[in-house]
Every structure is written in C-alpha cells, then in structure tokens.
Amino acid sequence: LHRVDRRQRQMCIRDSIDNSNKGDLIYFKTIPNREISHVGIYLDQGKFIHAPNEREKVKIDELKGYWLENYVGYASASNLK
C-alpha cells in the first residue's frame, strides 16, 4: 500500500460500494477541493472501520447518510501491493 494519497487515488475504482469486498479500502471526499480526503476499510454488510479524526478513536460506522453521500470508490484488497 502506498503511503501517499496521490498514489492510492490511482488504485481507486469508481464503482458502487455493492461491488466491493471485505478488506477493500474505501475512499471518501470529505474536504472540498480534494479528490479523496478520507479512507476506511470495508468490513461487510455496509459497515467499515476508520479513524474519523484526530480526537476520536478508531470505530466502526455504517455506510449510509454522510458516509454514503461522500463515498468516492474503493481499491480492491487483492490489488494492494
């Protein structure tokens, strides 16, 4: 997995979350003027794990509402090298 988000963006598949699998990285646009500004790991059944910000601990959220509205795409775990 590349450390720099620019390189991670190159792996992003802009497709429905329904086509992602457990362990895939999922990308979000949460900051205006940035293509991708947040990343999480897809768990399954519409849930993902992520660190929301510097003040909150890592947690599991559902991919709905705010997160689904800001979803950009995913990177297949099998392609992460």
Side-chain angles (χ1 to χ4, degrees):
L1 175 63
H2 299 285
R3 186 189 66 79
V4 182
D5 68 345
R6 177 178 46 81
R7 295 289 306 272
Q8 289 184 26
R9 273 198 314 268
Q10 294 170 347
M11 299 184 312
C12 182
I13 300 167
R14 297 180 189 282
D15 196 6
S16 170
I17 191 66
D18 296 332
N19 294 324
S20 66
N21 295 299
K22 189 175 185 177
D24 288 349
L25 294 182
I26 52 176
Y27 299 103
F28 303 91
K29 179 178 181 174
T30 59
I31 299 173
N33 301 321
R34 292 209 39 206
E35 189 174 343
I36 293 172
S37 52
H38 192 71
V39 64
I41 301 170
Y42 188 67
L43 296 176
D44 205 2
Q45 299 178 327
K47 294 185 180 182
F48 72 106
I49 189 167
H50 67 122
N53 57 56
E54 294 174 353
R55 296 175 303 280
E56 294 183 61
K57 294 180 180 181
V58 172
K59 67 180 190 176
I60 295 172
D61 269 321
E62 291 188 42
L63 265 166
K64 62 181 186 180
Y66 173 81
W67 293 113
L68 191 55
E69 291 168 13
N70 291 288
Y71 169 77
V72 174
Y74 67 93
S76 174
S78 61
N79 293 333
L80 299 176
K81 297 178 182 176

